[in-house]
Amino acid sequence: MFNKILIPVDGSQGAFEALKYAIEMHKANQAELIVLSVYREHAMWTSSVSWVNQERTASTEDAMKEFAKEVAEKSKQYALDEGVAKDKVRSFYIGGGPAREIVKSSEKHGVDLIILGSRGLSDSSKHLLGSVSHKVTSLAQCPVLVV
Ligand SMILES: Nc1ncnc2c1ncn2[C@@H]1O[C@H](COP(=O)(O)OP(=O)(O)OP(=O)(O)O)[C@@H](O)[C@H]1O
Ligand SMILES: [Mg+2]
């Protein structure tokens, strides 16, 4: 059985389905739930050319950080509302590349399962799997459940 589960959330319906799945698994054996939301940092997408408004990119990062914080906190609150005990659910939001940060966090927290959505916010029909779910299933050192 899995005792520590990481649920990466991006505010999408796919991630919400993954969260609901994780809560159901928690009910079976009181597994600890760790919710993680990753936002893209300024340095990862800002332009190096001076005619692009740097101030605006900085405020965009603030907005993305705020969004990630809200997604993480609301997901944790949803778990609490569904009956998960306070000491069994934690939430984090961090800046970086989503897939890499998800895999890094899974190792740092020693989780034994990652549950994520097959698609996220982009939901373009070009690929069956989103790039984050594709990368995480390829790079993770623990089992990954794609919902
Ligand atoms: N920034 C993120 N932080 C945390 N989890 C994420 C993040 N982005 C995606 N995920 C997780 O990965 C799952 C799949 O999302 P993914 O981003 O791969 O698909 P997509 O948005 O449809 O496609 P893409 O982003 O490749 O265009 C989501 O349901 C969520 O569980
Ligand atoms: Mg995405």
Side-chain angles (χ1 to χ4, degrees), residues 23-43:
I23 292 169
E24 283 313 306
M25 287 189 77
H26 162 87
K27 286 179 183 165
N29 73 333
Q30 301 298 299
E32 198 182 319
L33 303 182
I34 301 175
V35 175
L36 174 68
S37 182
V38 186
Y39 61 91
R40 292 211 164 255
E41 280 177 323
H42 184 62

Side-chain angles (χ1 to χ4, degrees), residues 96-113:
R100 199 167 293 277
E101 292 305 327
I102 291 164
V103 171
K104 258 195 346 205
S105 289
S106 71
E107 289 164 8
K108 183 178 147 204
H109 293 287
V111 308
D112 40 28
L113 179 67

Side-chain angles (χ1 to χ4, degrees), residues 8-10 12 14-15 36 38 98 116-117 119-123 130-133:
V9 290
D10 61 351
S12 66
L36 174 68
V38 186
L116 40 58
R119 301 307 316 247
L121 284 178
S122 306
D123 207 13
S131 61
V132 175
S133 27

